[in-house]
Amino acid sequence: MATADDPPPSTFRPLTIDLGVRSAARHTPDKVALRESGRDLTYRRLIERIDRVGNAAVADLGLRPGEHGAILAPNCLEYIEIVCGLASRAIAVAMPSPRLKPSEFTAICDDSQARVLFVHRSLEEAARSVKFASVERIIVIGGDYEEWIARSSLAAPDRSPAEWSTFAIPYTAGTTGQPKGVMLSHRARTLTFFAMGVEY
């Protein structure tokens, strides 16, 4: 019987989000990966920005594997690169809905112990109107975000996060109590994407 200490079989391949995006970038670097409101990102450009986010999180924010950030934004290109960039450094991201009241998204940021909050400029005023217990820095998408990543390195991380490490922390609706964070691993999220792509 195999144990947790046994080496993985030779056919084993870790399942992490960043490895999936990097694989696509190697095969079709100039293919459009994301499109939103007339803006495009190729896989090559997406990987560049993911790496800049991850490096800036470590070098500028001092975040370490196992720590958390948060993002408060509607659907936008930056959402994906921020979540993937932080996750590539084993930094999970809480994802409060942009439709929540300030008191509600504050509770989620504090509960997840997010040290940084990335907020869309349309929600900046609401984010700055509250006092967070854990958030040390607010970075505004559509504001200082571009300058922040422009100062960062393009170097890829030395290693990918463990596939069982937390990729993201979405929160439940809280219909029977306070919303609760769901710790989604890289492997679980990747397998979900595989299942969504299967044709019956």
Side-chain angles (χ1 to χ4, degrees):
M1 175 181 288
T3 69
D5 295 326
D6 291 337
S10 61
T11 55
F12 173 79
R13 295 294 181 271
L15 296 177
T16 65
I17 298 298
D18 74 311
L19 288 179
V21 180
R22 290 178 199 283
S23 177
R26 283 193 301 272
H27 288 91
T28 55
D30 297 317
K31 182 178 180 180
V32 173
L34 300 173
R35 177 172 288 139
E36 175 258 336
S37 300
R39 300 187 299 158
D40 292 340
L41 272 183
T42 63
Y43 279 104
R44 186 198 313 276
R45 193 82 177 101
L46 176 58
I47 285 297
E48 289 176 357
R49 292 174 70 85
I50 283 173
D51 286 338
R52 285 189 184 276
V53 169
N55 290 326
V58 172
D60 182 50
L61 302 179
L63 293 175
R64 295 292 179 263
E67 294 187 315
H68 300 155
I71 182 168
L72 182 66
N75 289 335
C76 58
L77 299 182
E78 293 84 359
Y79 201 110
I80 301 298
E81 63 194 34
I82 289 168
V83 173
C84 289
L86 294 182
S88 73
R89 298 298 187 142
I91 300 162
V93 185
M95 303 171 167
S97 167
R99 296 186 295 274
L100 293 179
K101 299 175 183 177
S103 60
E104 294 171 324
F105 67 66
T106 304
I108 287 175
C109 288
D110 290 345
D111 180 70
S112 66
Q113 297 183 326
R115 289 185 52 200
V116 59
L117 172 64
F118 294 89
V119 61
H120 192 270
R121 62 184 173 187
S122 63
L123 298 163
E124 179 183 6
E125 184 177 349
R128 294 195 186 279
S129 70
V130 297
K131 184 174 183 180
F132 296 97
S134 63
V135 172
E136 302 165 8
R137 179 98 168 263
I138 294 176
I139 297 174
V140 181
I141 301 167
D144 58 345
Y145 174 73
E146 288 298 327
E147 180 184 351
W148 180 72
I149 64 170
R151 296 194 304 266
S152 181
S153 167
L154 281 168
D158 295 334
R159 66 181 67 182
S160 289
E163 62 176 358
W164 293 113
S165 64
T166 304
F167 165 66
I169 315 171
Y171 272 70
T172 63
T175 53
T176 59
Q178 291 297 317
K180 297 174 180 63
V182 180
M183 310 291 273
L184 292 179
S185 70
H186 280 262
R187 184 178 181 86
R189 181 50 77 203
T190 304
L191 289 175
T192 299
F193 291 154
F194 283 164
M196 291 168 63
V198 172
E199 294 184 5
Y200 293 95

